[in-house]
Coordinates of all heavy atoms in Angstrom, one line a residue:
M1 N 8.8 27.2 -0.6 CA 9.8 28.2 -0.4 C 9.1 29.5 -0.3 O 8.4 29.9 -1.2 CB 10.8 28.1 -1.5 CG 11.7 29.3 -1.5 SD 13.5 29.0 -1.4 CE 13.6 28.0 0.1
I2 N 9.3 30.2 0.8 CA 8.7 31.5 1.0 C 9.6 32.6 0.5 O 10.7 32.8 1.1 CB 8.3 31.7 2.5 CG1 7.3 30.6 2.9 CG2 7.7 33.1 2.7 CD1 7.1 30.6 4.4
A3 N 9.3 33.3 -0.5 CA 10.1 34.3 -1.1 C 10.5 35.4 -0.2 O 11.6 36.0 -0.3 CB 9.5 34.9 -2.4
G4 N 9.7 35.7 0.8 CA 10.0 36.8 1.7 C 11.2 36.5 2.6 O 11.8 37.4 3.2
R5 N 11.5 35.3 2.8 CA 12.7 34.9 3.6 C 14.0 35.1 2.8 O 15.0 35.1 3.4 CB 12.5 33.4 4.1 CG 11.5 33.2 5.1 CD 11.7 31.9 5.9 NE 13.0 31.9 6.5 CZ 13.7 30.8 6.7 NH1 13.2 29.6 6.3 NH2 14.8 30.8 7.3
L6 N 13.9 35.2 1.5 CA 15.1 35.3 0.7 C 15.5 36.8 0.8 O 15.1 37.6 -0.1 CB 14.9 34.8 -0.7 CG 14.3 33.4 -0.8 CD1 14.1 33.0 -2.2 CD2 15.2 32.4 -0.1
D7 N 16.3 37.2 1.8 CA 16.5 38.6 2.1 C 17.9 39.1 1.8 O 18.2 40.3 2.2 CB 16.2 38.8 3.6 CG 16.9 37.9 4.5 OD1 17.7 37.1 4.1 OD2 16.6 38.0 5.7
E8 N 18.8 38.3 1.2 CA 20.2 38.8 1.0 C 20.6 38.4 -0.4 O 20.4 37.3 -0.9 CB 21.1 38.1 2.0 CG 22.5 38.7 1.9 CD 23.5 38.3 3.0 OE1 23.0 37.7 4.1 OE2 24.7 38.4 2.9
L9 N 21.1 39.4 -1.1 CA 21.6 39.1 -2.5 C 23.0 38.6 -2.5 O 23.9 39.3 -1.9 CB 21.5 40.4 -3.3 CG 21.9 40.3 -4.8 CD1 20.9 39.4 -5.5 CD2 21.8 41.7 -5.5
L10 N 23.2 37.4 -3.0 CA 24.5 36.8 -3.0 C 25.1 36.7 -4.4 O 24.3 36.7 -5.4 CB 24.4 35.3 -2.4 CG 23.8 35.2 -1.0 CD1 23.7 33.8 -0.6 CD2 24.6 36.0 0.0
T11 N 26.4 36.6 -4.5 CA 27.1 36.4 -5.8 C 27.9 35.1 -5.8 O 28.7 34.9 -4.8 CB 28.0 37.6 -6.1 OG1 27.3 38.8 -6.0 CG2 28.7 37.5 -7.4
T12 N 27.7 34.3 -6.7 CA 28.5 33.0 -6.8 C 29.9 33.4 -7.3 O 30.1 34.3 -8.2 CB 27.9 32.0 -7.8 OG1 27.8 32.5 -9.1 CG2 26.5 31.6 -7.3
L13 N 30.9 32.7 -6.8 CA 32.3 32.9 -7.3 C 32.7 31.5 -7.8 O 32.8 30.5 -7.1 CB 33.2 33.3 -6.1 CG 32.8 34.6 -5.5 CD1 33.6 34.9 -4.2 CD2 32.9 35.8 -6.5
T14 N 33.1 31.5 -9.1 CA 33.5 30.3 -9.8 C 35.0 30.2 -9.9 O 35.6 31.1 -10.4 CB 32.8 30.2 -11.2 OG1 31.4 30.4 -11.0 CG2 33.0 28.9 -11.8
P15 N 35.6 29.0 -9.6 CA 37.1 28.9 -9.7 C 37.5 28.8 -11.2 O 36.8 28.1 -12.0 CB 37.4 27.7 -9.0 CG 36.1 26.9 -9.0 CD 35.0 27.8 -9.0
E16 N 38.5 29.5 -11.6 CA 39.1 29.3 -12.9 C 40.7 29.3 -12.7 O 41.2 29.9 -11.7 CB 38.7 30.5 -13.8 CG 37.3 30.4 -14.2 CD 37.0 31.5 -15.3 OE1 37.9 32.2 -15.7 OE2 35.8 31.5 -15.7
T17 N 41.4 28.7 -13.6 CA 42.8 28.7 -13.6 C 43.4 29.9 -14.4 O 43.0 30.1 -15.5 CB 43.4 27.4 -14.1 OG1 42.8 26.3 -13.4 CG2 44.9 27.4 -14.1
A18 N 44.3 30.6 -13.7 CA 44.9 31.8 -14.4 C 46.4 31.6 -14.3 O 46.9 30.9 -13.3 CB 44.5 33.1 -13.8
W19 N 47.2 32.1 -15.2 CA 48.6 32.0 -15.1 C 49.2 33.3 -14.6 O 49.0 34.4 -15.1 CB 49.2 31.8 -16.5 CG 48.8 30.4 -17.0 CD1 47.7 29.9 -17.6 CD2 49.6 29.2 -16.7 NE1 47.7 28.6 -17.8 CE2 48.9 28.1 -17.3 CE3 50.9 29.0 -16.2 CZ2 49.4 26.8 -17.2 CZ3 51.4 27.7 -16.1 CH2 50.7 26.6 -16.7
V20 N 49.9 33.2 -13.4 CA 50.5 34.4 -12.8 C 51.9 34.1 -12.6 O 52.3 33.1 -12.0 CB 49.8 34.6 -11.4 CG1 50.5 35.8 -10.7 CG2 48.3 34.9 -11.6
A21 N 52.8 34.9 -13.2 CA 54.2 34.7 -13.2 C 54.6 33.3 -13.6 O 55.4 32.6 -13.0 CB 54.8 35.0 -11.8
A22 N 54.0 32.9 -14.7 CA 54.3 31.6 -15.4 C 53.9 30.4 -14.5 O 54.4 29.3 -14.7 CB 55.8 31.4 -15.8
E23 N 53.0 30.6 -13.5 CA 52.6 29.5 -12.6 C 51.0 29.5 -12.7 O 50.4 30.6 -12.6 CB 53.0 29.8 -11.2 CG 54.5 29.7 -11.0 CD 55.0 28.3 -11.1 OE1 54.3 27.3 -10.7 OE2 56.1 28.1 -11.5
P24 N 50.4 28.3 -12.7 CA 49.0 28.3 -12.7 C 48.5 28.5 -11.3 O 49.1 28.0 -10.3 CB 48.6 26.8 -13.1 CG 49.9 26.1 -12.8 CD 51.0 27.0 -12.9
T25 N 47.4 29.3 -11.1 CA 46.8 29.6 -9.8 C 45.3 29.7 -10.0 O 44.8 30.0 -11.1 CB 47.4 30.9 -9.3 OG1 46.9 31.1 -7.9 CG2 47.1 32.1 -10.1
T26 N 44.6 29.4 -8.9 CA 43.2 29.5 -9.0 C 42.7 30.8 -8.6 O 43.1 31.4 -7.6 CB 42.6 28.4 -8.0 OG1 43.0 27.1 -8.4 CG2 41.1 28.4 -8.0
V27 N 41.9 31.4 -9.4 CA 41.2 32.7 -9.1 C 39.7 32.5 -9.2 O 39.2 31.6 -9.8 CB 41.6 33.8 -10.1 CG1 43.1 34.1 -10.1 CG2 41.3 33.4 -11.6
Y28 N 39.0 33.3 -8.5 CA 37.5 33.2 -8.4 C 36.9 34.4 -9.1 O 37.2 35.5 -8.8 CB 37.0 33.1 -7.0 CG 37.4 31.8 -6.3 CD1 38.6 31.6 -5.8 CD2 36.5 30.7 -6.4 CE1 39.0 30.3 -5.2 CE2 36.8 29.5 -5.8 CZ 38.1 29.3 -5.3 OH 38.4 28.1 -4.7
V29 N 36.1 34.1 -10.1 CA 35.4 35.1 -10.9 C 33.9 35.2 -10.5 O 33.3 34.2 -10.2 CB 35.6 34.9 -12.4 CG1 37.0 35.0 -12.8 CG2 35.0 33.6 -12.8
D30 N 33.4 36.4 -10.6 CA 32.0 36.6 -10.3 C 31.1 35.8 -11.3 O 31.3 35.8 -12.5 CB 31.6 38.1 -10.4 CG 32.2 38.9 -9.2 OD1 32.9 38.3 -8.3 OD2 31.9 40.1 -9.1
G31 N 30.1 35.2 -10.7 CA 29.1 34.5 -11.5 C 27.7 35.1 -11.3 O 27.6 36.3 -11.1
A32 N 26.7 34.3 -11.3 CA 25.3 34.7 -11.1 C 25.1 35.3 -9.7 O 25.7 34.9 -8.8 CB 24.4 33.6 -11.4
Q33 N 24.1 36.2 -9.7 CA 23.6 36.6 -8.4 C 22.2 36.0 -8.1 O 21.5 35.7 -9.0 CB 23.4 38.2 -8.4 CG 24.8 38.9 -8.4 CD 24.6 40.4 -8.2 OE1 23.7 41.0 -8.8 NE2 25.4 41.0 -7.4
F34 N 22.0 35.8 -6.8 CA 20.7 35.2 -6.4 C 20.3 35.6 -5.0 O 21.2 35.9 -4.2 CB 20.7 33.6 -6.6 CG 21.7 32.9 -5.6 CD1 21.3 32.4 -4.4 CD2 23.0 32.8 -6.0 CE1 22.2 31.7 -3.6 CE2 23.9 32.2 -5.1 CZ 23.5 31.6 -4.0
W35 N 19.0 35.6 -4.7 CA 18.5 35.9 -3.4 C 18.5 34.7 -2.6 O 18.1 33.6 -3.0 CB 17.1 36.5 -3.5 CG 17.1 37.9 -4.1 CD1 16.9 38.2 -5.4 CD2 17.4 39.1 -3.4 NE1 17.0 39.6 -5.6 CE2 17.4 40.2 -4.4 CE3 17.7 39.4 -2.1 CZ2 17.6 41.5 -4.0 CZ3 17.9 40.8 -1.8 CH2 17.9 41.8 -2.7
A36 N 18.8 34.8 -1.3 CA 18.9 33.7 -0.4 C 18.7 34.2 1.1 O 18.7 35.4 1.3 CB 20.2 33.0 -0.5
H37 N 18.4 33.2 1.9 CA 18.4 33.5 3.4 C 19.7 32.9 4.0 O 20.0 31.7 3.7 CB 17.2 32.9 4.0 CG 17.2 33.1 5.5 ND1 16.9 34.3 6.1 CD2 17.4 32.2 6.5 CE1 17.0 34.2 7.4 NE2 17.3 32.9 7.7
V38 N 20.5 33.7 4.7 CA 21.8 33.3 5.2 C 21.7 33.3 6.7 O 21.3 34.3 7.3 CB 22.9 34.2 4.8 CG1 24.2 33.7 5.3 CG2 23.0 34.2 3.2
E39 N 22.0 32.1 7.3 CA 21.9 32.0 8.8 C 23.3 31.5 9.3 O 23.7 30.4 9.0 CB 20.8 31.0 9.1 CG 20.6 30.9 10.6 CD 19.4 30.0 10.9 OE1 18.5 29.8 10.0 OE2 19.4 29.4 12.0
D40 N 23.9 32.3 10.1 CA 25.2 31.9 10.7 C 24.9 30.9 11.8 O 24.0 31.2 12.7 CB 25.9 33.1 11.3 CG 26.5 34.1 10.3 OD1 26.9 33.6 9.2 OD2 26.4 35.3 10.4
Q41 N 25.5 29.8 11.9 CA 25.3 28.8 12.8 C 26.3 29.0 14.0 O 27.3 29.7 13.9 CB 25.5 27.4 12.2 CG 24.6 27.1 11.0 CD 23.2 27.0 11.4 OE1 22.8 26.1 12.2 NE2 22.4 27.8 10.8
A42 N 26.2 28.2 15.1 CA 27.1 28.3 16.2 C 28.5 27.8 15.7 O 28.6 26.9 14.9 CB 26.6 27.5 17.3
G43 N 29.6 28.4 16.2 CA 30.9 28.0 15.8 C 31.2 26.6 16.2 O 30.7 26.1 17.2
A44 N 32.1 26.0 15.5 CA 32.5 24.6 15.8 C 34.0 24.5 15.7 O 34.6 25.2 15.0 CB 31.8 23.6 14.8
E45 N 34.5 23.6 16.5 CA 36.0 23.3 16.4 C 36.2 21.9 15.9 O 35.5 21.0 16.3 CB 36.6 23.5 17.8 CG 36.6 25.0 18.2 CD 37.4 25.1 19.5 OE1 37.7 24.2 20.2 OE2 37.7 26.3 19.8
A46 N 37.2 21.8 15.1 CA 37.5 20.5 14.6 C 39.0 20.2 14.8 O 39.8 21.1 14.7 CB 37.2 20.4 13.1
L47 N 39.3 19.0 15.0 CA 40.7 18.6 15.2 C 41.2 18.2 13.9 O 40.8 17.2 13.3 CB 40.8 17.4 16.2 CG 42.2 17.1 16.7 CD1 42.9 18.2 17.3 CD2 42.1 15.9 17.6
K48 N 42.2 18.9 13.3 CA 42.7 18.7 12.0 C 44.2 18.6 12.1 O 44.8 19.6 12.5 CB 42.3 19.7 11.0 CG 40.8 19.8 10.7 CD 40.5 20.8 9.7 CE 39.0 20.8 9.4 NZ 38.6 21.8 8.4
A49 N 44.8 17.5 11.7 CA 46.2 17.4 11.6 C 46.9 17.7 13.0 O 47.9 18.3 13.0 CB 46.8 18.2 10.5
G50 N 46.2 17.3 14.1 CA 46.8 17.6 15.4 C 46.6 19.0 15.9 O 47.1 19.4 16.9
Q51 N 45.9 19.8 15.1 CA 45.7 21.2 15.5 C 44.2 21.5 15.6 O 43.4 21.0 14.8 CB 46.3 22.2 14.5 CG 47.8 22.1 14.4 CD 48.4 23.0 13.4 OE1 47.6 23.6 12.6 NE2 49.7 23.1 13.3
V52 N 43.8 22.3 16.6 CA 42.4 22.7 16.7 C 42.2 23.9 15.8 O 42.9 24.9 15.9 CB 42.0 23.0 18.1 CG1 40.6 23.5 18.2 CG2 42.2 21.8 19.0
S53 N 41.2 23.9 14.9 CA 40.9 25.0 14.1 C 39.4 25.4 14.2 O 38.6 24.5 14.3 CB 41.2 24.7 12.6 OG 40.4 23.7 12.1
A54 N 39.1 26.6 14.3 CA 37.8 27.1 14.4 C 37.1 27.2 13.0 O 37.8 27.7 12.1 CB 37.7 28.4 15.2
S55 N 35.9 26.8 12.9 CA 35.2 27.1 11.7 C 33.8 27.6 12.0 O 33.3 27.3 13.1 CB 35.0 25.8 10.8 OG 34.2 24.9 11.5
A56 N 33.3 28.5 11.2 CA 32.0 29.1 11.5 C 31.0 28.6 10.4 O 31.1 29.1 9.3 CB 32.1 30.6 11.5
P57 N 30.2 27.6 10.7 CA 29.2 27.1 9.7 C 28.2 28.2 9.3 O 27.8 28.9 10.2 CB 28.6 25.9 10.3 CG 29.1 25.8 11.7 CD 30.1 26.9 11.9
V58 N 27.8 28.2 8.1 CA 26.7 29.1 7.6 C 25.8 28.2 6.8 O 26.2 27.4 5.9 CB 27.4 30.2 6.7 CG1 26.3 31.1 6.2 CG2 28.5 30.9 7.4
L59 N 24.5 28.4 7.0 CA 23.4 27.7 6.3 C 22.8 28.7 5.4 O 22.2 29.7 5.8 CB 22.4 27.1 7.2 CG 21.4 26.2 6.6 CD1 22.0 25.0 5.9 CD2 20.3 25.8 7.6
V60 N 22.8 28.4 4.1 CA 22.2 29.2 3.0 C 21.0 28.5 2.5 O 21.1 27.4 2.1 CB 23.2 29.6 1.9 CG1 22.6 30.4 0.8 CG2 24.4 30.3 2.5
T61 N 19.9 29.2 2.4 CA 18.7 28.6 1.8 C 18.3 29.5 0.6 O 18.2 30.7 0.7 CB 17.5 28.7 2.8 OG1 17.9 28.0 4.0 CG2 16.3 27.9 2.3
A62 N 18.1 28.8 -0.5 CA 17.8 29.5 -1.8 C 16.9 28.7 -2.6 O 16.5 27.6 -2.3 CB 19.1 29.8 -2.6
R63 N 16.5 29.3 -3.7 CA 15.7 28.6 -4.7 C 16.5 27.5 -5.4 O 17.7 27.8 -5.6 CB 15.1 29.5 -5.8 CG 14.0 30.4 -5.2 CD 13.4 31.2 -6.4 NE 12.4 32.1 -5.9 CZ 12.6 33.4 -5.5 NH1 13.8 33.9 -5.6 NH2 11.6 34.1 -5.0
W64 N 16.0 26.4 -5.7 CA 16.7 25.3 -6.3 C 17.4 25.7 -7.6 O 18.5 25.4 -7.8 CB 15.8 24.0 -6.5 CG 16.5 22.9 -7.2 CD1 16.2 22.5 -8.4 CD2 17.6 22.1 -6.8 NE1 17.0 21.4 -8.8 CE2 17.9 21.2 -7.8 CE3 18.4 22.1 -5.6 CZ2 18.9 20.3 -7.7 CZ3 19.4 21.2 -5.5 CH2 19.6 20.3 -6.5
Q65 N 16.6 26.4 -8.4 CA 17.2 26.7 -9.8 C 18.4 27.7 -9.6 O 19.2 27.7 -10.5 CB 16.1 27.3 -10.7 CG 15.5 28.6 -10.3 CD 14.2 28.4 -9.4 OE1 14.0 27.4 -8.8 NE2 13.3 29.4 -9.4
D66 N 18.4 28.4 -8.6 CA 19.5 29.4 -8.4 C 20.8 28.7 -7.8 O 21.9 29.1 -8.0 CB 19.2 30.5 -7.4 CG 18.1 31.4 -8.0 OD1 18.0 31.5 -9.2 OD2 17.4 32.0 -7.2
A67 N 20.6 27.6 -7.1 CA 21.7 26.9 -6.4 C 22.2 25.6 -6.9 O 23.2 25.1 -6.5 CB 21.3 26.7 -4.9
R68 N 21.5 25.0 -7.8 CA 21.8 23.7 -8.3 C 23.1 23.5 -8.9 O 23.7 22.5 -9.0 CB 20.7 23.1 -9.2 CG 20.6 23.8 -10.5 CD 19.6 23.2 -11.4 NE 19.6 23.9 -12.7 CZ 18.6 24.7 -13.1 NH1 17.6 24.9 -12.4 NH2 18.7 25.2 -14.3
H69 N 23.7 24.6 -9.5 CA 25.0 24.6 -10.2 C 26.2 24.7 -9.2 O 27.3 24.5 -9.6 CB 25.1 25.7 -11.2 CG 25.1 27.1 -10.6 ND1 23.9 27.6 -10.1 CD2 26.1 27.9 -10.3 CE1 24.2 28.8 -9.6 NE2 25.5 29.0 -9.7
L70 N 26.0 25.0 -7.9 CA 27.1 25.2 -7.0 C 27.7 23.8 -6.6 O 27.0 22.8 -6.5 CB 26.6 25.8 -5.7 CG 26.1 27.3 -5.9 CD1 25.4 27.8 -4.6 CD2 27.2 28.2 -6.3
T71 N 29.0 23.8 -6.5 CA 29.8 22.6 -6.1 C 30.6 23.0 -4.9 O 30.7 24.1 -4.5 CB 30.7 22.1 -7.3 OG1 31.7 23.1 -7.5 CG2 29.9 21.9 -8.5
T72 N 31.3 22.0 -4.4 CA 32.2 22.2 -3.2 C 33.4 23.0 -3.6 O 34.1 23.4 -2.7 CB 32.6 20.9 -2.6 OG1 33.2 20.0 -3.6 CG2 31.4 20.2 -2.0
S73 N 33.6 23.3 -4.8 CA 34.8 24.2 -5.2 C 34.3 25.6 -5.4 O 35.1 26.5 -5.6 CB 35.4 23.7 -6.5 OG 34.5 23.7 -7.6
S74 N 33.0 25.8 -5.2 CA 32.4 27.2 -5.4 C 32.6 28.0 -4.1 O 32.7 27.4 -3.0 CB 30.9 27.1 -5.8 OG 30.7 26.4 -6.9
R75 N 32.5 29.3 -4.3 CA 32.4 30.2 -3.1 C 31.3 31.1 -3.4 O 30.8 31.3 -4.5 CB 33.7 31.0 -3.0 CG 34.9 30.1 -2.6 CD 36.1 30.9 -2.4 NE 37.2 30.1 -1.9 CZ 38.4 30.5 -1.7 NH1 38.7 31.8 -1.9 NH2 39.4 29.7 -1.3
I76 N 30.8 31.8 -2.3 CA 29.7 32.7 -2.4 C 30.1 34.0 -1.7 O 30.6 33.9 -0.5 CB 28.4 32.1 -1.7 CG1 28.0 30.8 -2.4 CG2 27.3 33.1 -1.7 CD1 26.9 30.1 -1.7
R77 N 29.9 35.1 -2.3 CA 30.2 36.4 -1.7 C 28.9 37.0 -1.1 O 27.9 37.1 -1.8 CB 30.8 37.4 -2.7 CG 31.1 38.8 -1.9 CD 31.7 39.8 -2.8 NE 32.7 39.4 -3.7 CZ 32.6 39.4 -5.0 NH1 31.5 39.7 -5.6 NH2 33.6 39.0 -5.8
R78 N 28.9 37.3 0.2 CA 27.7 37.9 0.8 C 27.6 39.3 0.5 O 28.5 40.0 0.0 CB 27.8 37.7 2.3 CG 27.8 36.2 2.7 CD 27.7 36.0 4.2 NE 26.4 36.6 4.7 CZ 26.0 36.5 5.9 NH1 26.8 35.9 6.8 NH2 24.8 37.0 6.3
A79 N 26.5 39.9 0.8 CA 26.2 41.3 0.5 C 27.2 42.3 1.2 O 27.6 43.3 0.6 CB 24.8 41.7 0.8
D80 N 27.7 41.9 2.3 CA 28.7 42.7 3.1 C 30.1 42.5 2.6 O 31.0 43.0 3.2 CB 28.5 42.5 4.6 CG 28.8 41.0 5.0 OD1 29.3 40.2 4.2 OD2 28.6 40.7 6.2
G81 N 30.3 41.6 1.6 CA 31.7 41.4 1.1 C 32.4 40.2 1.6 O 33.4 39.8 1.1
R82 N 31.9 39.6 2.7 CA 32.5 38.4 3.2 C 32.3 37.2 2.3 O 31.2 37.1 1.6 CB 32.0 38.0 4.6 CG 32.3 39.1 5.6 CD 31.9 38.7 7.0 NE 30.4 38.7 7.0 CZ 29.7 38.2 8.0 NH1 30.2 37.6 9.0 NH2 28.4 38.3 8.0
V83 N 33.3 36.3 2.2 CA 33.2 35.2 1.3 C 33.0 33.9 2.1 O 33.7 33.7 3.1 CB 34.5 35.1 0.4 CG1 34.5 33.8 -0.4 CG2 34.6 36.3 -0.4
I84 N 32.1 33.0 1.7 CA 31.9 31.7 2.3 C 32.2 30.6 1.3 O 32.0 30.9 0.1 CB 30.5 31.6 2.9 CG1 29.4 31.9 1.9 CG2 30.4 32.5 4.2 CD1 28.0 31.8 2.4
E85 N 32.7 29.5 1.7 CA 33.0 28.4 0.9 C 31.9 27.3 1.0 O 31.4 27.0 2.1 CB 34.3 27.8 1.3 CG 35.5 28.7 1.1 CD 36.8 28.1 1.6 OE1 36.8 27.1 2.3 OE2 37.8 28.7 1.3
V86 N 31.5 26.7 -0.1 CA 30.5 25.7 -0.1 C 31.2 24.4 0.5 O 32.2 23.9 0.0 CB 29.9 25.4 -1.5 CG1 29.0 24.2 -1.5 CG2 29.3 26.6 -2.1
A87 N 30.7 23.9 1.6 CA 31.3 22.8 2.3 C 30.8 21.4 1.9 O 31.5 20.5 2.0 CB 31.1 23.0 3.8
R88 N 29.5 21.4 1.5 CA 28.9 20.1 1.1 C 28.1 20.3 -0.1 O 27.7 21.4 -0.4 CB 28.0 19.6 2.3 CG 28.8 19.3 3.5 CD 28.1 18.1 4.3 NE 29.0 17.8 5.4 CZ 28.7 17.9 6.6 NH1 27.5 18.5 7.0 NH2 29.5 17.6 7.6
P89 N 27.8 19.2 -0.8 CA 27.0 19.3 -2.0 C 25.6 19.9 -1.6 O 25.1 19.7 -0.5 CB 26.8 17.8 -2.5 CG 28.0 17.1 -2.0 CD 28.3 17.8 -0.6
V90 N 25.0 20.6 -2.6 CA 23.7 21.3 -2.4 C 22.7 20.2 -2.1 O 22.6 19.2 -2.8 CB 23.4 22.2 -3.6 CG1 22.0 22.8 -3.5 CG2 24.4 23.2 -3.8
R91 N 21.8 20.5 -1.1 CA 20.8 19.5 -0.8 C 19.4 20.1 -1.2 O 19.1 21.2 -0.9 CB 20.7 19.3 0.7 CG 19.8 18.2 1.2 CD 19.9 17.9 2.6 NE 19.3 18.9 3.5 CZ 18.1 18.8 4.0 NH1 17.4 17.7 3.9 NH2 17.7 19.8 4.8
E92 N 18.7 19.3 -2.0 CA 17.4 19.7 -2.6 C 16.4 19.6 -1.5 O 16.3 18.7 -0.7 CB 17.0 18.9 -3.7 CG 15.8 19.3 -4.4 CD 15.4 18.4 -5.6 OE1 16.2 17.4 -5.9 OE2 14.4 18.7 -6.3
L93 N 15.5 20.7 -1.4 CA 14.4 20.7 -0.4 C 13.1 20.4 -1.2 O 12.8 21.1 -2.2 CB 14.3 22.0 0.3 CG 15.5 22.4 1.1 CD1 15.3 23.8 1.7 CD2 15.8 21.5 2.3
G94 N 12.3 19.4 -0.7 CA 11.1 19.1 -1.4 C 11.4 18.6 -2.8 O 12.3 17.9 -3.0
R95 N 10.5 18.9 -3.7 CA 10.7 18.5 -5.1 C 11.2 19.6 -6.0 O 10.5 20.1 -6.9 CB 9.4 17.9 -5.6 CG 8.9 16.7 -4.8 CD 7.6 16.2 -5.3 NE 7.8 15.7 -6.6 CZ 7.4 14.5 -7.0 NH1 6.9 13.7 -6.1 NH2 7.6 14.1 -8.3
G96 N 12.4 20.1 -5.7 CA 12.9 21.2 -6.5 C 12.4 22.5 -6.0 O 12.6 23.5 -6.7
D97 N 11.8 22.6 -4.8 CA 11.3 23.9 -4.3 C 12.4 24.8 -3.8 O 12.4 26.0 -4.0 CB 10.3 23.6 -3.2 CG 9.1 22.9 -3.6 OD1 8.7 23.1 -4.8 OD2 8.5 22.2 -2.8
G98 N 13.4 24.2 -3.1 CA 14.4 25.0 -2.6 C 15.7 24.2 -2.4 O 15.8 23.0 -2.8
A99 N 16.7 24.9 -1.9 CA 18.0 24.2 -1.7 C 18.6 24.7 -0.4 O 18.5 25.9 0.0 CB 19.0 24.6 -2.9
E100 N 19.3 23.8 0.3 CA 20.1 24.1 1.5 C 21.6 23.9 1.1 O 21.9 22.9 0.6 CB 19.7 23.2 2.6 CG 18.8 23.8 3.6 CD 18.6 22.9 4.8 OE1 19.3 21.8 5.0 OE2 17.8 23.2 5.6
I101 N 22.3 24.9 1.4 CA 23.8 24.9 1.1 C 24.5 25.1 2.4 O 24.4 26.2 3.0 CB 24.1 26.0 0.1 CG1 23.2 26.0 -1.1 CG2 25.6 25.9 -0.3 CD1 23.0 27.3 -1.8
L102 N 25.3 24.1 2.9 CA 26.1 24.2 4.1 C 27.4 24.8 3.7 O 28.1 24.2 2.8 CB 26.3 22.9 4.8 CG 27.1 23.0 6.1 CD1 26.4 23.9 7.1 CD2 27.3 21.6 6.7
C103 N 27.8 25.9 4.3 CA 29.0 26.6 3.9 C 29.8 26.9 5.2 O 29.4 26.7 6.3 CB 28.7 28.0 3.3 SG 27.7 27.8 1.8
T104 N 31.1 27.3 5.0 CA 31.9 27.8 6.1 C 32.6 29.1 5.6 O 32.8 29.3 4.4 CB 33.0 26.8 6.5 OG1 33.8 26.5 5.4 CG2 32.4 25.5 7.1
Y105 N 33.0 29.9 6.6 CA 33.8 31.1 6.2 C 35.2 30.6 5.8 O 35.7 29.6 6.3 CB 33.9 32.1 7.4 CG 32.6 32.9 7.5 CD1 31.7 32.6 8.5 CD2 32.3 33.9 6.6 CE1 30.6 33.3 8.7 CE2 31.2 34.7 6.8 CZ 30.3 34.4 7.8 OH 29.2 35.1 7.9
D106 N 35.8 31.3 4.8 CA 37.1 30.8 4.4 C 38.1 31.1 5.5 O 37.8 31.6 6.5 CB 37.5 31.4 3.0 CG 37.6 32.9 3.0 OD1 37.4 33.5 4.1 OD2 37.8 33.5 2.0
A107 N 39.3 30.7 5.2 CA 40.4 30.7 6.2 C 40.6 32.0 7.0 O 40.9 32.0 8.1 CB 41.7 30.2 5.6
D108 N 40.4 33.1 6.3 CA 40.6 34.4 6.9 C 39.3 35.0 7.4 O 39.2 36.3 7.6 CB 41.3 35.4 6.0 CG 40.6 35.6 4.7 OD1 39.5 35.0 4.5 OD2 41.1 36.4 3.9
G109 N 38.3 34.2 7.7 CA 37.1 34.7 8.3 C 36.2 35.4 7.3 O 35.2 36.1 7.6
G110 N 36.4 35.1 6.0 CA 35.5 35.7 5.0 C 35.9 37.1 4.6 O 35.2 37.7 3.8
A111 N 37.0 37.6 5.1 CA 37.4 39.0 4.8 C 37.9 39.1 3.3 O 38.3 38.2 2.7 CB 38.5 39.5 5.7

């Protein structure tokens, strides 16, 4: 893992249950920050429930020790404020040298 490629400071967002108006709802709280390389992939379209929806895949490369705790219920906030959702389990690169995290922008484009 080449540290020079880790050029963006990201913040993990961890889901927690909060009670709002006597109803449980999921909120995301800030977690650890870590350096990573973020690469926007070409857009893809998927057929879901009879509707075509656009998704923008994002590939995040980070150190293994920084990313191993992420799950598919986690989100990541980019340095520019956009939020991406972890789409697949974190994939280890080498022998714990690095991690690849496949993500997508959330429903509102990460805004």
